[in-house]
Amino acid sequence: MAEDCAPQTQPAIRATAMAADANPYGNIFVGWLMGQMALAAGSVASRHCGGPAPVVAADGFSFTAPVSIGDEVSFYAELIATGRTSMTVAVDVWRRDRHGEGTAQAAKGTYILVSMGADQRPSPVFAEGNTRG
């Protein structure tokens, strides 16, 4: 995903940063951002495999601009690799001023999720639109 401007695709999720998620300095906790990023990754992975896909690992994080209370935060998620039961999803986070058009990339990271079957055990990944056998 490009680093100089927000992706031209629709975000997986979008949220407004609220005061309850802020640190004492008035910026949003990194933990809140990471949780929202996991939700975005999970949305993409679940749609791809057609079932539950919990996060099993995360890495490659960088936090490049603070998110302030009231900012609109967009979470762009892209499936970048699949294994037999796993999916790797890259997530880019962009913030926009609540009362303007100023934007900045706030964070990025990668999540690994596993396709789960009805028995709560890893299940082979199937492409979007396919059903589990």
Side-chain angles (χ1 to χ4, degrees):
M1 292 185 198
E3 298 207 20
D4 56 345
C5 61
Q8 297 302 304
T9 60
Q10 291 294 315
I13 62 173
R14 187 172 279 150
T16 299
M18 302 298 287
D21 302 310
N23 62 30
Y25 308 108
N27 295 319
I28 299 305
F29 278 116
V30 168
W32 180 84
L33 282 175
M34 291 175 74
Q36 297 300 306
M37 292 168 77
L39 290 173
S43 176
V44 168
S46 291
R47 288 175 79 186
H48 181 73
C49 72
V55 171
V56 297
D59 66 16
F61 289 96
S62 63
F63 301 92
T64 54
V67 175
S68 299
I69 296 169
D71 283 353
E72 178 184 274
V73 189
S74 296
F75 300 84
Y76 297 90
E78 177 182 6
L79 184 69
I80 59 171
T82 59
R84 192 177 86 73
T85 62
S86 66
M87 296 156 284
T88 302
V89 179
V91 182
D92 283 345
V93 181
W94 284 78
R95 54 151 306 279
R96 182 184 62 80
D97 298 334
R98 183 165 184 81
H99 302 293
E101 297 303 317
T103 62
Q105 185 177 30
K108 64 182 177 178
T110 304
Y111 288 81
I112 299 171
L113 304 96
V114 171
S115 173
M116 300 296 280
D119 61 357
Q120 296 297 308
R121 300 178 69 74
S123 174
V125 173
F126 290 90
E128 185 174 354
N130 289 350
T131 59
R132 296 173 184 272

Short mmCIF file of all heavy atoms in Angstrom, two decimals, residues 61-98:
data_model
loop_
_atom_site.label_atom_id
_atom_site.label_comp_id
_atom_site.label_asym_id
_atom_site.label_seq_id
_atom_site.Cartn_x
_atom_site.Cartn_y
_atom_site.Cartn_z
N PHE A 61 4.87 -3.47 13.03
CA PHE A 61 4.14 -2.25 13.33
C PHE A 61 5.02 -1.02 13.29
O PHE A 61 6.16 -1.05 13.74
CB PHE A 61 3.48 -2.33 14.71
CG PHE A 61 2.34 -3.29 14.75
CD1 PHE A 61 2.52 -4.58 15.18
CD2 PHE A 61 1.09 -2.91 14.31
CE1 PHE A 61 1.47 -5.48 15.19
CE2 PHE A 61 0.03 -3.78 14.31
CZ PHE A 61 0.23 -5.08 14.75
N SER A 62 4.47 0.06 12.77
CA SER A 62 5.08 1.38 12.92
C SER A 62 3.95 2.37 13.11
O SER A 62 2.86 2.23 12.55
CB SER A 62 5.95 1.74 11.71
OG SER A 62 5.18 1.81 10.54
N PHE A 63 4.20 3.33 13.95
CA PHE A 63 3.22 4.36 14.29
C PHE A 63 3.85 5.69 13.90
O PHE A 63 4.83 6.12 14.51
CB PHE A 63 2.85 4.27 15.77
CG PHE A 63 2.26 2.92 16.10
CD1 PHE A 63 3.07 1.90 16.55
CD2 PHE A 63 0.93 2.67 15.88
CE1 PHE A 63 2.56 0.64 16.82
CE2 PHE A 63 0.39 1.42 16.14
CZ PHE A 63 1.21 0.40 16.61
N THR A 64 3.30 6.31 12.86
CA THR A 64 3.98 7.42 12.21
C THR A 64 3.37 8.80 12.46
O THR A 64 4.02 9.80 12.18
CB THR A 64 4.03 7.17 10.69
OG1 THR A 64 2.70 6.91 10.22
CG2 THR A 64 4.89 5.94 10.39
N ALA A 65 2.14 8.85 12.94
CA ALA A 65 1.50 10.14 13.25
C ALA A 65 0.50 9.91 14.37
O ALA A 65 -0.19 8.89 14.39
CB ALA A 65 0.79 10.71 12.03
N PRO A 66 0.41 10.83 15.31
CA PRO A 66 -0.56 10.65 16.39
C PRO A 66 -1.99 10.79 15.88
O PRO A 66 -2.26 11.51 14.93
CB PRO A 66 -0.22 11.77 17.37
CG PRO A 66 0.46 12.81 16.54
CD PRO A 66 1.17 12.07 15.45
N VAL A 67 -2.88 10.06 16.53
CA VAL A 67 -4.32 10.18 16.27
C VAL A 67 -4.90 10.94 17.45
O VAL A 67 -4.68 10.58 18.60
CB VAL A 67 -4.98 8.79 16.13
CG1 VAL A 67 -6.49 8.92 15.99
CG2 VAL A 67 -4.38 8.04 14.94
N SER A 68 -5.64 12.00 17.16
CA SER A 68 -6.21 12.85 18.20
C SER A 68 -7.68 12.52 18.42
O SER A 68 -8.35 11.97 17.53
CB SER A 68 -6.08 14.32 17.80
OG SER A 68 -4.73 14.68 17.66
N ILE A 69 -8.17 12.87 19.58
CA ILE A 69 -9.59 12.71 19.89
C ILE A 69 -10.39 13.43 18.81
O ILE A 69 -10.10 14.57 18.46
CB ILE A 69 -9.92 13.28 21.28
CG1 ILE A 69 -9.19 12.48 22.36
CG2 ILE A 69 -11.43 13.29 21.53
CD1 ILE A 69 -9.22 13.11 23.73
N GLY A 70 -11.38 12.76 18.28
CA GLY A 70 -12.25 13.32 17.26
C GLY A 70 -11.82 13.02 15.83
O GLY A 70 -12.60 13.21 14.90
N ASP A 71 -10.59 12.58 15.63
CA ASP A 71 -10.15 12.25 14.27
C ASP A 71 -10.98 11.11 13.70
O ASP A 71 -11.38 10.19 14.41
CB ASP A 71 -8.68 11.80 14.25
CG ASP A 71 -7.69 12.94 14.37
OD1 ASP A 71 -8.10 14.12 14.33
OD2 ASP A 71 -6.48 12.64 14.50
N GLU A 72 -11.21 11.16 12.38
CA GLU A 72 -11.79 10.03 11.68
C GLU A 72 -10.63 9.12 11.29
O GLU A 72 -9.64 9.58 10.73
CB GLU A 72 -12.52 10.50 10.42
CG GLU A 72 -13.11 9.36 9.62
CD GLU A 72 -13.74 9.84 8.34
OE1 GLU A 72 -14.92 10.22 8.39
OE2 GLU A 72 -13.02 9.85 7.32
N VAL A 73 -10.74 7.84 11.63
CA VAL A 73 -9.65 6.91 11.41
C VAL A 73 -10.14 5.82 10.45
O VAL A 73 -11.14 5.16 10.71
CB VAL A 73 -9.16 6.29 12.73
CG1 VAL A 73 -7.88 5.50 12.50
CG2 VAL A 73 -8.94 7.37 13.79
N SER A 74 -9.42 5.65 9.34
CA SER A 74 -9.76 4.65 8.33
C SER A 74 -8.71 3.55 8.35
O SER A 74 -7.51 3.82 8.39
CB SER A 74 -9.80 5.28 6.94
OG SER A 74 -10.84 6.25 6.88
N PHE A 75 -9.19 2.30 8.33
CA PHE A 75 -8.34 1.12 8.41
C PHE A 75 -8.46 0.35 7.10
O PHE A 75 -9.48 -0.26 6.82
CB PHE A 75 -8.77 0.24 9.59
CG PHE A 75 -8.68 0.96 10.91
CD1 PHE A 75 -9.72 1.77 11.35
CD2 PHE A 75 -7.56 0.83 11.71
CE1 PHE A 75 -9.63 2.44 12.56
CE2 PHE A 75 -7.47 1.49 12.93
CZ PHE A 75 -8.51 2.30 13.35
N TYR A 76 -7.40 0.42 6.29
CA TYR A 76 -7.37 -0.25 5.00
C TYR A 76 -6.65 -1.58 5.16
O TYR A 76 -5.52 -1.62 5.65
CB TYR A 76 -6.63 0.61 3.98
CG TYR A 76 -7.31 1.93 3.73
CD1 TYR A 76 -6.99 3.05 4.49
CD2 TYR A 76 -8.28 2.05 2.74
CE1 TYR A 76 -7.61 4.27 4.27
CE2 TYR A 76 -8.91 3.27 2.52
CZ TYR A 76 -8.57 4.37 3.28
OH TYR A 76 -9.20 5.57 3.07
N ALA A 77 -7.31 -2.66 4.76
CA ALA A 77 -6.75 -4.00 4.94
C ALA A 77 -6.70 -4.72 3.61
O ALA A 77 -7.65 -4.66 2.81
CB ALA A 77 -7.60 -4.78 5.94
N GLU A 78 -5.57 -5.41 3.38
CA GLU A 78 -5.36 -6.11 2.12
C GLU A 78 -4.76 -7.48 2.38
O GLU A 78 -3.74 -7.60 3.07
CB GLU A 78 -4.42 -5.28 1.25
CG GLU A 78 -4.05 -5.92 -0.07
CD GLU A 78 -3.07 -5.08 -0.86
OE1 GLU A 78 -2.58 -4.06 -0.37
OE2 GLU A 78 -2.80 -5.47 -2.00
N LEU A 79 -5.38 -8.51 1.83
CA LEU A 79 -4.86 -9.87 1.91
C LEU A 79 -3.59 -9.94 1.06
O LEU A 79 -3.64 -9.63 -0.14
CB LEU A 79 -5.90 -10.87 1.40
CG LEU A 79 -5.55 -12.33 1.50
CD1 LEU A 79 -5.52 -12.80 2.95
CD2 LEU A 79 -6.55 -13.16 0.70
N ILE A 80 -2.46 -10.27 1.67
CA ILE A 80 -1.20 -10.28 0.92
C ILE A 80 -0.61 -11.67 0.75
O ILE A 80 0.28 -11.84 -0.07
CB ILE A 80 -0.17 -9.31 1.53
CG1 ILE A 80 0.15 -9.66 2.98
CG2 ILE A 80 -0.65 -7.87 1.40
CD1 ILE A 80 1.32 -8.87 3.56
N ALA A 81 -1.08 -12.66 1.51
CA ALA A 81 -0.58 -14.03 1.36
C ALA A 81 -1.56 -15.01 1.99
O ALA A 81 -2.28 -14.65 2.93
CB ALA A 81 0.79 -14.18 2.01
N THR A 82 -1.56 -16.23 1.48
CA THR A 82 -2.35 -17.30 2.10
C THR A 82 -1.49 -18.55 2.20
O THR A 82 -0.60 -18.77 1.37
CB THR A 82 -3.63 -17.64 1.29
OG1 THR A 82 -3.26 -18.04 -0.02
CG2 THR A 82 -4.58 -16.47 1.23
N GLY A 83 -1.76 -19.32 3.22
CA GLY A 83 -1.15 -20.62 3.40
C GLY A 83 -2.26 -21.65 3.37
O GLY A 83 -3.37 -21.37 2.92
N ARG A 84 -1.98 -22.84 3.87
CA ARG A 84 -3.02 -23.88 3.88
C ARG A 84 -4.20 -23.48 4.77
O ARG A 84 -5.35 -23.61 4.37
CB ARG A 84 -2.43 -25.21 4.35
CG ARG A 84 -3.38 -26.38 4.11
CD ARG A 84 -2.76 -27.70 4.52
NE ARG A 84 -2.94 -27.97 5.93
CZ ARG A 84 -4.11 -28.32 6.49
NH1 ARG A 84 -5.19 -28.43 5.77
NH2 ARG A 84 -4.18 -28.56 7.78
N THR A 85 -3.90 -22.97 5.98
CA THR A 85 -4.97 -22.54 6.89
C THR A 85 -4.82 -21.08 7.30
O THR A 85 -5.70 -20.55 7.99
CB THR A 85 -5.00 -23.41 8.17
OG1 THR A 85 -3.77 -23.24 8.87
CG2 THR A 85 -5.23 -24.87 7.85
N SER A 86 -3.72 -20.44 6.91
CA SER A 86 -3.47 -19.07 7.38
C SER A 86 -3.60 -18.03 6.28
O SER A 86 -3.52 -18.34 5.09
CB SER A 86 -2.06 -18.98 7.98
OG SER A 86 -1.09 -19.18 6.96
N MET A 87 -3.82 -16.80 6.71
CA MET A 87 -3.91 -15.65 5.82
C MET A 87 -3.11 -14.52 6.45
O MET A 87 -3.18 -14.31 7.65
CB MET A 87 -5.37 -15.22 5.64
CG MET A 87 -6.23 -16.27 4.95
SD MET A 87 -7.97 -16.09 5.36
CE MET A 87 -8.01 -16.77 7.01
N THR A 88 -2.36 -13.80 5.63
CA THR A 88 -1.60 -12.64 6.09
C THR A 88 -2.27 -11.41 5.52
O THR A 88 -2.51 -11.32 4.31
CB THR A 88 -0.14 -12.72 5.64
OG1 THR A 88 0.43 -13.94 6.14
CG2 THR A 88 0.66 -11.54 6.16
N VAL A 89 -2.57 -10.46 6.40
CA VAL A 89 -3.28 -9.24 6.01
C VAL A 89 -2.46 -8.03 6.45
O VAL A 89 -2.09 -7.91 7.62
CB VAL A 89 -4.69 -9.19 6.65
CG1 VAL A 89 -5.42 -7.90 6.27
CG2 VAL A 89 -5.52 -10.41 6.23
N ALA A 90 -2.18 -7.13 5.50
CA ALA A 90 -1.51 -5.86 5.80
C ALA A 90 -2.57 -4.81 6.07
O ALA A 90 -3.58 -4.75 5.36
CB ALA A 90 -0.65 -5.43 4.62
N VAL A 91 -2.35 -4.02 7.11
CA VAL A 91 -3.32 -2.97 7.47
C VAL A 91 -2.60 -1.63 7.52
O VAL A 91 -1.57 -1.50 8.19
CB VAL A 91 -3.99 -3.26 8.83
CG1 VAL A 91 -5.02 -2.18 9.16
CG2 VAL A 91 -4.65 -4.64 8.83
N ASP A 92 -3.15 -0.65 6.81
CA ASP A 92 -2.68 0.74 6.85
C ASP A 92 -3.74 1.57 7.53
O ASP A 92 -4.94 1.41 7.26
CB ASP A 92 -2.46 1.30 5.45
CG ASP A 92 -1.17 0.81 4.81
OD1 ASP A 92 -0.32 0.27 5.53
OD2 ASP A 92 -1.02 0.99 3.60
N VAL A 93 -3.31 2.46 8.41
CA VAL A 93 -4.23 3.33 9.16
C VAL A 93 -4.00 4.77 8.74
O VAL A 93 -2.86 5.26 8.75
CB VAL A 93 -4.00 3.18 10.68
CG1 VAL A 93 -4.96 4.07 11.45
CG2 VAL A 93 -4.12 1.73 11.11
N TRP A 94 -5.07 5.44 8.39
CA TRP A 94 -5.01 6.86 8.02
C TRP A 94 -5.96 7.65 8.90
O TRP A 94 -7.08 7.23 9.17
CB TRP A 94 -5.38 7.03 6.54
CG TRP A 94 -4.26 6.61 5.66
CD1 TRP A 94 -3.91 5.32 5.34
CD2 TRP A 94 -3.31 7.45 5.04
NE1 TRP A 94 -2.80 5.32 4.55
CE2 TRP A 94 -2.41 6.63 4.34
CE3 TRP A 94 -3.13 8.83 5.00
CZ2 TRP A 94 -1.34 7.13 3.61
CZ3 TRP A 94 -2.07 9.33 4.26
CH2 TRP A 94 -1.19 8.49 3.59
N ARG A 95 -5.50 8.81 9.36
CA ARG A 95 -6.33 9.70 10.18
C ARG A 95 -6.67 10.94 9.36
O ARG A 95 -5.91 11.34 8.49
CB ARG A 95 -5.60 10.08 11.46
CG ARG A 95 -4.21 10.68 11.20
CD ARG A 95 -3.73 11.66 12.21
NE ARG A 95 -4.59 12.77 12.50
CZ ARG A 95 -4.71 13.88 11.77
NH1 ARG A 95 -4.05 14.04 10.65
NH2 ARG A 95 -5.51 14.84 12.15
N ARG A 96 -7.86 11.48 9.64
CA ARG A 96 -8.30 12.73 9.01
C ARG A 96 -8.80 13.66 10.09
O ARG A 96 -9.53 13.24 10.99
CB ARG A 96 -9.41 12.49 7.99
CG ARG A 96 -9.86 13.78 7.28
CD ARG A 96 -11.02 13.56 6.34
NE ARG A 96 -12.22 13.09 7.02
CZ ARG A 96 -13.08 13.87 7.70
NH1 ARG A 96 -12.86 15.16 7.83
NH2 ARG A 96 -14.14 13.34 8.27
N ASP A 97 -8.40 14.93 10.00
CA ASP A 97 -8.88 15.94 10.95
C ASP A 97 -10.40 15.95 10.95
O ASP A 97 -11.03 15.89 9.89
CB ASP A 97 -8.39 17.34 10.56
CG ASP A 97 -6.89 17.46 10.58
OD1 ASP A 97 -6.23 16.72 11.32
OD2 ASP A 97 -6.37 18.33 9.83
N ARG A 98 -10.99 16.05 12.12
CA ARG A 98 -12.45 16.02 12.23
C ARG A 98 -13.11 17.17 11.47
O ARG A 98 -14.15 16.99 10.87
CB ARG A 98 -12.86 16.06 13.70
CG ARG A 98 -14.37 15.97 13.89
CD ARG A 98 -14.71 15.64 15.33
NE ARG A 98 -16.12 15.45 15.51
CZ ARG A 98 -16.78 14.33 15.22
NH1 ARG A 98 -16.15 13.32 14.71
NH2 ARG A 98 -18.06 14.24 15.45
#
